[in-house]
Amino acid sequence: TVLSSQQQILRALGPVVGKENVYFDPFNITAHITDATDWRRFAPLAVVRPGREDQVPLLVKKIKGLGFKIIPRGAGTGLTGGATPLAPGCIMINTEKLNRIHPIVRDKNSQGQSFASIELEAGVVTQDAKDEAKKQGLIFATDPTSAWACTIGGNLAENAGGKTAVLFGTAIDNV
């Protein structure tokens, strides 16, 4: 028998992230049709929620092998339509579970200047990163208005800046 696209997706992606993290239900699909723009073109075929970063490369390989398009998405607060399906046949990789914050590292560059850095997963809420920096007397430079909800991956994808961008640059300037 010919497998439906949902069966194909579940067979390919279930072993990577667990079948419980592959969604086809109307609630999840509808919630991922648009971002804060409310631009609606197409519904994703599925929403996948990896729980570990190392699952993402294999997900991408499997989805491409099935011939579907991929859209990464965090909180969906974007105002440019960057996380909205603009074509049929898309699978949404939702990064919200990728929310680990690693310890802040203090070091010196090759010129001897001190700096601090923090490794964040794509689904970390920006405000959580700002709070972590503040605990150590530091400033997390990216400061979009939606910091309470937006995620680091989206900040980088959209090159978010916010009110501190004039002083510290945008998200990409601070990578």
Side-chain angles (χ1 to χ4, degrees):
T1 65
V2 176
L3 293 177
S4 72
S5 62
Q6 286 186 357
Q7 290 171 320
Q8 289 176 349
I9 292 166
L10 197 56
R11 257 194 198 170
L13 307 184
V16 178
V17 295
K19 290 181 179 185
E20 69 279 6
N21 292 306
V22 181
Y23 300 88
F24 304 103
D25 63 284
F27 176 79
N28 277 288
I29 297 300
T30 301
H32 288 77
I33 287 174
T34 189
D35 57 11
T37 62
D38 204 28
W39 297 340
R40 298 164 188 259
R41 294 284 316 267
F42 295 94
L45 295 173
V47 176
V48 183
R49 288 188 170 89
R52 296 187 331 265
E53 285 182 327
D54 64 354
Q55 294 171 328
V56 176
L58 188 53
L59 276 177
V60 169
K61 183 178 179 181
K62 297 277 188 177
I63 294 169
K64 294 306 283 179
L66 292 170
F68 297 118
K69 297 167 190 74
I70 301 165
I71 298 177
R73 176 195 166 111
T77 62
L79 294 170
T80 64
T84 61
L86 299 178
C90 294
I91 295 178
M92 192 79 63
I93 298 177
N94 182 305
T95 63
E96 289 176 310
K97 285 185 174 182
L98 304 177
N99 58 8
R100 289 163 195 84
I101 299 174
H102 298 273
I104 293 174
V105 174
R106 295 175 187 261
D107 206 348
K108 292 187 184 229
N109 65 17
S110 59
Q111 289 82 36
Q113 298 169 311
S114 296
F115 70 91
S117 65
I118 186 169
E119 182 182 336
L120 305 165
E121 291 186 351
V124 170
V125 173
T126 304
Q127 188 62 52
D128 293 343
K130 291 169 57 75
D131 291 345
E132 192 65 29
K134 188 175 182 178
K135 286 180 197 173
Q136 298 217 13
L138 301 167
I139 295 170
F140 188 79
T142 304
D143 190 25
T145 305
S146 61
W148 60 274
C150 66
T151 58
I152 297 302
N155 291 175
L156 292 170
E158 297 293 323
N159 197 21
K163 55 192 172 289
T164 61
V166 173
L167 292 172
F168 305 119
T170 62
I172 293 173
D173 296 323
N174 286 284
V175 173

